[in-house]
Amino acid sequence: MMFLRDPSAYHGENNKRPFFEGWYHKLVTNDGRALVIIPGIYRSGFNNNQTAFVMIFDGDTGEVFYERFEVQQFSCSTSSYSLHIGSNHFSSQNITLDIESEALTIKGQVTADNLKPWPVTLFEPGCMGWYAYVPTMECFHGILSMDHSLDGQIELNGSNYDFVGGRGYIEKDWGRNFPENWIWAQSNNFSNSDLSITASLATIPWKNTAFAGFIVGLYHKNNLYRFTTYRNTVTKEIHYDSNKFSWQLRQNDLVLELTIEKGHKAGLLYAPDKMDMVPRVPEYLDGNIYLKLYDHKGTIVEDQTTSAAVEIIGDVRKLINMAGGLPSG
């Protein structure tokens, strides 16, 4: 029997192992300064290690701060996203931070308004579609808001981030482990202020084999254009060299062309491993995205940005081959 559950809520209440869950908040000021804030929880399947955490990625410096908390300090609703870790609170509408440690002093509050979540219905419960009902999936994904406005301030080690008039994005992952290989990019900081995109391509274990699964959402003028594996979107072209990823997708009459490039300054994010959370995911907040969406009537939107979050991880050549393309370079 299918059971509809809010993807934003906590999924680890039964203490299963291995398990991780993290909520990814990207906050960008009106003048383009970016912070990533990731609260979460981790439980090893190989030892007794378990920890709650708050991770901060400072786009100005490239520094990543990883603060551990006792799991007893972690409290999250299983019906909606309302998370407390120590004296810090996180939800889709609010972040309140109060951390003081040897490496990190961060305090402040940011609110979000006019959120644009990926729709959740019984037959398509969020961005994963019917795959969300498959309990053996290695990693589950949720998109809590494609784009929203921000208000408030955060002070990080003496540097003030003023988010009045800024833009935000929220997604999350939970499950046993991250994929083996993936490409992910996101931005809602284009010259067109009513435009946001998130795109991911990853190796998905399936029974005794694997496939290249993808989720691409483009939000423009109150429309969410969805290009996904479960909607039978077709990859028409796909190429990758050491720095640039090009992708053309067709969904019925719609065609989306994407070019994604790494930036110049990466932060090393922590991710679940067998024994612990370890620093192993380089993420850029100054990546490039070019996009063009069109149909038989002509171009719907075309834009580019140099303020994109980009991750290109693992054996990408293998991933591209699996997705039906040939890597170059």
Side-chain angles (χ1 to χ4, degrees):
M1 179 179 176
M2 292 189 295
F3 171 60
L4 183 61
R5 184 171 185 178
D6 185 350
S8 74
Y10 178 47
H11 292 75
E13 69 275 9
N14 63 1
N15 292 316
K16 55 193 170 188
R17 290 173 177 265
F19 181 79
F20 77 94
E21 190 157 7
W23 292 259
Y24 176 102
H25 297 254
K26 192 178 83 165
L27 303 86
V28 181
T29 65
N30 194 39
D31 59 355
R33 300 172 68 207
L35 271 186
V36 170
I37 301 169
I38 308 173
I41 192 166
Y42 167 87
R43 289 193 290 268
S44 171
F46 288 81
N47 57 28
N48 292 325
N49 183 34
Q50 56 181 356
T51 185
F53 61 86
V54 176
M55 192 174 357
I56 309 290
F57 176 17
D58 183 348
D60 276 0
T61 65
E63 291 180 286
V64 175
F65 303 93
Y66 178 77
E67 294 293 323
R68 295 178 182 271
F69 292 80
E70 298 294 328
V71 291
Q72 292 79 8
Q73 296 177 279
F74 177 99
S75 174
C76 191
S77 169
T78 57
S79 60
S80 63
Y81 177 31
S82 180
L83 167 62
H84 290 87
I85 300 179
S87 56
N88 307 280
H89 178 255
F90 308 90
S91 71
S92 295
Q93 293 81 22
N94 177 276
I95 295 176
T96 302
L97 290 165
D98 185 6
I99 300 173
E100 194 160 348
S101 68
E102 188 175 326
L104 174 67
T105 299
I106 186 167
K107 299 178 187 295
Q109 183 174 22
V110 177
T111 57
D113 192 31
N114 194 23
L115 278 74
K116 300 173 181 67
W118 192 293
V120 175
T121 65
L122 183 64
F123 293 103
E124 197 169 301
C127 65
M128 288 189 66
W130 62 265
Y131 287 105
Y133 291 117
V134 181
T136 55
M137 293 291 285
E138 177 182 49
C139 183
F140 295 87
H141 191 60
I143 297 172
L144 281 55
S145 179
M146 291 286 296
D147 176 60
H148 49 264
S149 59
L150 298 175
D151 196 2
Q153 297 186 29
I154 289 175
E155 186 169 312
L156 167 60
N157 288 347
S159 179
N160 187 65
Y161 282 80
D162 184 352
F163 290 105
V164 176
R167 312 300 303 174
Y169 169 84
I170 312 170
E171 67 169 44
K172 65 173 297 193
D173 292 289
W174 71 97
R176 300 191 311 276
N177 201 358
F178 275 7
E180 180 184 10
N181 316 298
W182 76 86
I183 296 171
W184 172 84
Q186 184 280 328
S187 187
N188 49 336
N189 296 97
F190 292 90
S191 56
N192 186 324
S193 61
D194 193 22
L195 177 61
S196 175
I197 190 164
T198 181
S200 61
L201 172 69
T203 303
I204 311 297
W206 189 255
K207 298 179 180 178
N208 294 320
T209 181
F211 67 93
F214 57 88
I215 298 168
V216 179
L218 186 152
Y219 182 90
H220 178 57
K221 292 186 176 178
N222 294 318
N223 290 308
L224 178 61
Y225 299 92
R226 291 172 259 197
F227 299 82
T228 64
T229 307
Y230 56 85
R231 282 177 169 246
N232 299 316
T233 298
V234 176
T235 292
K236 301 297 290 183
E237 291 184 27
I238 188 166
H239 304 284
Y240 174 72
D241 60 29
S242 60
N243 191 55
K244 183 186 294 186
F245 172 60
S246 301
W247 202 7
Q248 186 186 88
L249 296 163
R250 178 181 288 275
Q251 176 71 41
N252 299 324
D253 189 38
L254 287 167
V255 177
L256 176 63
E257 294 180 359
L258 279 176
T259 302
I260 296 165
E261 293 184 79
K262 295 177 183 177
H264 302 287
K265 186 190 297 181
L268 200 59
L269 302 187
Y270 284 65
D273 204 0
K274 289 183 178 181
M275 303 294 186
D276 202 355
M277 293 282 291
V278 297
R280 66 181 181 94
V281 177
E283 178 173 310
Y284 299 85
L285 294 177
D286 61 346
N288 302 330
I289 295 178
Y290 162 81
L291 65 84
K292 182 179 180 180
L293 177 69
Y294 58 93
D295 60 16
H296 72 280
K297 297 178 182 177
T299 299
I300 298 169
V301 63
E302 182 177 11
D303 211 333
Q304 57 187 353
T305 180
T306 56
S307 300
V310 175
E311 298 173 1
I312 299 179
I313 308 296
D315 189 343
V316 179
R317 292 172 179 271
K318 179 180 177 182
L319 176 62
I320 297 298
N321 274 328
M322 191 178 287
L326 293 173
S328 59

